[in-house]
Amino acid sequence: MSSRSRFFLPARPGRSRACSLAALLAATMAALTALPAAAAPPAPAPPLTGANLGADRLPRCAAVVDAMSPRDKLAQRLMVGVDASDPATTAETVRATQVGGIFVGDNPTQLLTNQALRGVQAMARIPVAVSVDDEGGRVQRIDALDGNMPSARVMAAQMTPAQVKEQGLQRGREQLARGITMDLAPVVDMGNQPANAVIGDRSFSTDPDTVAKYAAAFAEGEREAGVFTVLKHFPGHGRAVGDSHKGKATTPPLDQLRTDDLRPYATLLGPGGPLADGRTGVLVGHLDVPGLTTDLPATLTPAAYHLLRTDYGFDGLVLTDDLGAMKAITDTFDLPTAVERALTAGADMALWSSGGRVTPVLDRLEQDLQAGRIDPAANDAAVTRVLKAKQVCS
């Protein structure tokens, strides 16, 4: 029977008519079900809210930290010295350990030329902080490549704060172009030591207000270029007796430090301070401070970190001075023990310039974390500060 004859049956009276209508309906339904089914409409796309991002469009740090393994978290808290003449070994160190930062402390420049640090960064799952001591004067790292920078003492004597800011901006651009992301400068220590003393001409002035003004200018210039800056050496090395590179260094009592040496930290990093926005960190020195420390230097003393966090309201990144090559530490502690003591005392990152030996340190720290000697919540908070400083998350 043709489709036409199915759809146009002749009407019959009575029962026949009802049967014809029923047959017509059945035939119609059969014809409709034989047609191909219409495709279901696509599911709506999820809304692009950016709810998992911070105001600066970076992922939330809590999610990033939660996704990390315990060992990877601990590795982020290490700043390891590397051989600037050996980019290949530096890259392998980063690949094998995933440390949070490297410290370029030597004078060779192979690691800072030909974009060698890009190869190092390519080995990192999380970007590596590349730090240097580039203060000017006796302590600088790229003068052979980009020109000499005057010491802090000369800057304050011969330049205005505006000129020092411009000097910092120029230097920051040069550093960043070579792959350097963190400058362990400026020095905010005070003192009238001879120029070649441990601090000496590394200090801007003996006056805390002058120190704060010039340190702020230099840091603001570098920060404008995109470099993370670090004030040092908390709580104040400028008037210490002794050199922590060679052994014990003792400062005036804490009450005296509060009136002078600690004032730049209060001015620059306290509430409303010009550097109190998370783009500047603090480096703690290996200093014995009457009224603050007892049998251990400040880098290994919880009270020193408590002073910085509470009395001065600082919640940014805190690093140690060199734990691997300064006799104030190495005369007493092996490297894994020194790192453990520093991190449990309150440092976010432990720095050592002597390089290598990363695996034994990580093994020790992992055991400490499992045994509860490193508090997991405090560890996560420190890792968060490290990642924020590197602008990995917000």
Side-chain angles (χ1 to χ4, degrees):
M1 182 183 295
S2 70
S3 59
R4 180 177 180 84
S5 61
R6 286 202 307 269
F7 280 75
F8 295 97
L9 295 173
R12 294 181 182 176
R15 183 177 177 85
S16 297
R17 182 178 180 84
C19 291
S20 297
L21 290 173
L24 177 62
L25 180 60
T28 302
M29 292 300 296
L32 290 174
T33 57
L35 296 174
L48 301 177
T49 64
N52 64 328
L53 301 177
D56 50 8
R57 315 309 295 163
L58 292 172
R60 301 285 187 185
C61 282
V64 176
V65 174
D66 286 346
M68 298 171 67
S69 72
R71 190 175 180 90
D72 282 347
K73 292 179 184 180
L74 293 166
Q76 284 298 306
R77 301 183 68 182
L78 304 182
M79 177 77 73
V80 181
V82 295
D83 183 352
S85 69
D86 192 351
T89 298
T90 300
E92 175 55 23
T93 296
V94 170
R95 186 204 65 78
T97 64
Q98 295 299 308
V99 291
I102 59 174
F103 174 73
V104 184
D106 299 326
N107 289 323
T109 59
Q110 288 90 329
L111 194 58
L112 302 177
T113 55
N114 300 318
Q115 297 298 311
L117 281 167
R118 287 191 178 185
V120 175
Q121 292 286 5
M123 297 295 102
R125 294 191 294 274
I126 292 175
V128 177
V130 179
S131 68
V132 295
D133 284 318
D134 201 31
E135 307 166 9
R138 289 178 291 146
V139 182
Q140 50 187 318
R141 289 292 168 260
I142 60 173
D143 49 312
L145 298 171
D146 295 309
N148 184 65
M149 185 166 59
S151 69
R153 181 174 291 182
V154 171
M155 287 187 206
Q158 300 181 4
M159 301 168 70
T160 66
Q163 290 171 327
V164 171
K165 180 179 179 180
E166 184 62 31
Q167 173 75 80
L169 176 61
Q170 175 185 338
R171 195 58 151 203
R173 287 170 173 165
E174 291 164 350
Q175 290 165 352
L176 205 64
R178 297 191 177 280
I180 296 165
T181 64
M182 179 183 293
D183 191 6
L184 305 184
V187 169
V188 293
D189 297 323
M190 300 187 311
N192 56 359
Q193 301 169 334
N196 63 349
V198 59
I199 298 301
D201 63 356
R202 300 167 66 191
S203 169
F204 287 105
S205 174
T206 59
D207 172 60
D209 294 330
T210 301
V211 169
K213 179 170 60 177
Y214 276 91
F218 184 81
E220 286 170 349
E222 289 222 304
R223 285 152 44 108
E224 186 175 324
V227 174
F228 188 90
T229 54
V230 178
L231 308 184
K232 61 186 185 185
H233 306 78
F234 184 87
H237 202 318
R239 295 191 293 155
V241 176
D243 180 350
S244 54
H245 296 85
K246 301 175 181 178
K248 187 173 182 178
T250 303
T251 74
L254 178 59
D255 287 346
Q256 292 184 30
L257 295 185
R258 287 185 187 276
T259 62
D260 290 306
D261 305 68
L262 284 164
R263 278 174 54 189
Y265 294 97
T267 300
L268 299 176
L269 299 176
L275 306 182
D277 61 357
R279 294 186 293 151
T280 293
V282 171
L283 184 144
V284 177
H286 304 315
L287 302 167
D288 291 286
V289 185
L292 179 67
T293 66
T294 51
D295 56 338
L296 295 173
T299 40
L300 309 185
T301 299
Y305 298 95
H306 182 77
L307 175 72
L308 179 60
R309 297 289 190 203
T310 57
D311 290 34
Y312 296 93
F314 182 67
D315 191 38
L317 182 71
V318 180
L319 305 90
T320 70
D321 208 341
D322 189 346
L323 296 169
M326 297 178 72
K327 290 188 175 182
I329 298 295
T330 59
D331 280 352
T332 306
F333 298 103
D334 61 29
L335 181 63
T337 302
V339 172
E340 178 210 351
R341 292 289 189 97
L343 297 189
T344 56
D348 296 319
M349 294 189 87
L351 181 154
W352 70 91
S353 66
S354 47
R357 299 179 289 168
V358 180
T359 298
V361 172
L362 275 175
D363 290 344
R364 170 72 172 272
L365 294 177
E366 203 166 19
Q367 293 167 7
D368 292 331
L369 185 63
Q370 292 169 353
R373 291 185 290 272
I374 294 177
D375 177 68
N379 189 54
D380 283 0
V383 174
T384 298
R385 284 189 284 267
V386 172
L387 298 182
K388 282 184 176 180
K390 297 194 290 184
Q391 298 185 322
V392 170
C393 58
S394 67

